[in-house]
């Protein structure tokens, strides 16, 4: 069951999460009607998702046949073991995470100027330290490469976000889990505690 208390509707929260994430999962339908999920890098720009690949790749064949796609980005912060809540039952075991799910139409980008802009954004996201000549369709060093690569835009028809950080918990259990994460202090536990404070304002201290 989808819990409405985990839903995030603020556009800037969603954009920030997508800008900080580099990996997502593209859902397509193969030419023979089978569902496929492909992990890939992406950018989110001007309200659309973009990815790139081979002009003759499987993704392009699938999209040419069925342009309706889904795209999911998810990031797990901390696993919450059952014994944080109950000394015997396994039922309370869960995880705290952020996710964005979108569905819409995928369309190839043909304009070289836009291809250059998209791929430049990829570089800024994945190689922020620089060390390359900026991608520009007017630069002859890149023009041939831009013609040879496929860039696809996903125009979302529906988009939803779910950030789960204990918003549904009663205050006593919420505080106990937060305390246990402080004590465990492994992986991203410290970040998870910060997210709990951020998204559960009625529990802030």
């Amino acid at each position: 069951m989808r819990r409405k208390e985990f839903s995030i509707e603020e556009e800037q929260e969603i954009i920030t999460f997508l800008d900080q994430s580099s990996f997502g999962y593209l859902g397509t339908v193969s030419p023979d009607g089978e569902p496929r999920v492909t992990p890939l890098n992406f950018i989110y720009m001007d309200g659309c998702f973009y990815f790139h690949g081979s002009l003759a790749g499987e993704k392009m064949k699938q999209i040419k046949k069925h342009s309706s796609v889904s795209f999911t980005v998810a990031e797990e912060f901390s696993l919450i073991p059952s014994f944080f809540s109950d000394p015997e039952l396994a039922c309370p075991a869960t995880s705290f995470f952020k996710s964005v799910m979108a569905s819409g139409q995928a369309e190839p980008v043909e304009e070289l100027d836009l291809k250059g802009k998209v791929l430049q954004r990829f570089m800024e996201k994945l190689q922020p330290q620089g060390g390359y000549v900026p991608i520009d369709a007017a630069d002859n060093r890149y023009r041939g490469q831009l013609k040879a690569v496929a860039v696809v835009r996903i125009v979302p028809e529906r988009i939803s976000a779910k950030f789960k950080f204990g918003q549904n918990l009663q205050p006593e259990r919420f505080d106990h889990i937060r305390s246990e994460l402080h004590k465990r202090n492994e992986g991203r536990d410290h970040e998870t505690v910060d997210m709990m404070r951020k998204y559960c304002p009625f529990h802030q201290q």
Side-chain angles (χ1 to χ4, degrees):
M1 181 178 69
R2 182 174 178 81
R3 293 183 179 272
K4 63 180 181 180
E5 60 262 43
F6 301 145
S7 297
I8 296 295
E9 298 180 356
E10 292 82 359
E11 183 179 13
Q12 189 54 52
E13 288 283 335
I14 295 172
I15 292 173
T16 298
F17 170 60
L18 294 174
D19 285 346
Q20 293 172 346
S21 302
S22 61
F23 218 68
Y25 298 87
L26 173 71
T28 57
V29 179
S30 71
D32 56 7
E34 294 184 357
R36 300 287 177 86
V37 176
T38 305
L40 44 74
N41 294 118
F42 76 97
I43 64 164
Y44 185 73
M45 183 176 75
D46 300 330
C48 295
F49 296 88
Y50 290 85
F51 64 89
H52 63 87
S54 169
L55 288 170
E58 285 299 313
K59 295 189 297 294
M60 297 305 295
K61 293 179 183 177
Q62 294 161 15
I63 290 168
K64 185 176 181 180
K65 184 71 174 180
H66 300 284
S67 61
S68 294
V69 301
S70 66
F71 197 76
T72 300
V73 182
E75 182 178 5
E76 186 174 69
F77 280 69
S78 290
L79 292 172
I80 309 300
S82 60
F83 53 78
F84 275 12
S85 299
D86 191 292
E88 297 180 351
L89 297 179
C91 304
T94 188
S95 66
F96 287 170
F97 62 88
K98 294 182 179 182
S99 68
V100 170
M101 294 156 283
S103 59
Q105 299 297 312
E107 52 190 38
V109 173
E110 303 293 348
E111 304 90 340
L112 292 188
D113 286 344
L114 181 54
K115 276 188 174 184
K117 181 179 178 182
V118 168
L119 294 176
Q120 175 61 26
R121 286 287 294 272
F122 265 102
M123 291 301 296
E124 292 168 359
K125 186 175 190 178
L126 301 177
Q127 190 175 311
Q129 67 271 34
Y132 61 91
V133 176
I135 300 174
D136 187 337
D139 189 329
N140 288 330
R141 290 171 292 183
Y142 284 121
R143 198 165 184 82
Q145 299 291 335
L146 291 174
K147 292 179 180 179
V149 67
V151 173
V152 176
R153 171 174 51 224
I154 300 174
V155 182
E157 295 170 350
R158 292 176 298 278
I159 187 167
S160 62
K162 181 177 178 181
F163 292 6
K164 181 181 176 183
F165 290 99
Q167 297 96 314
N168 62 320
L169 300 177
Q170 294 299 313
E172 184 177 353
R173 185 176 171 197
F174 178 93
D175 290 337
H176 178 71
I177 289 177
R178 186 171 63 177
S179 176
E180 290 297 313
L181 287 170
H182 264 303
K183 288 191 291 185
R184 188 174 69 179
N185 194 28
E186 296 176 357
R188 304 184 69 179
D189 287 348
H190 183 73
E191 282 184 83
T192 302
V193 169
D194 289 342
M195 293 296 103
M196 291 176 74
R197 292 195 186 101
K198 179 176 182 178
Y199 293 109
C200 304
F202 47 90
H203 288 298
Q204 289 181 355
Q205 295 180 358

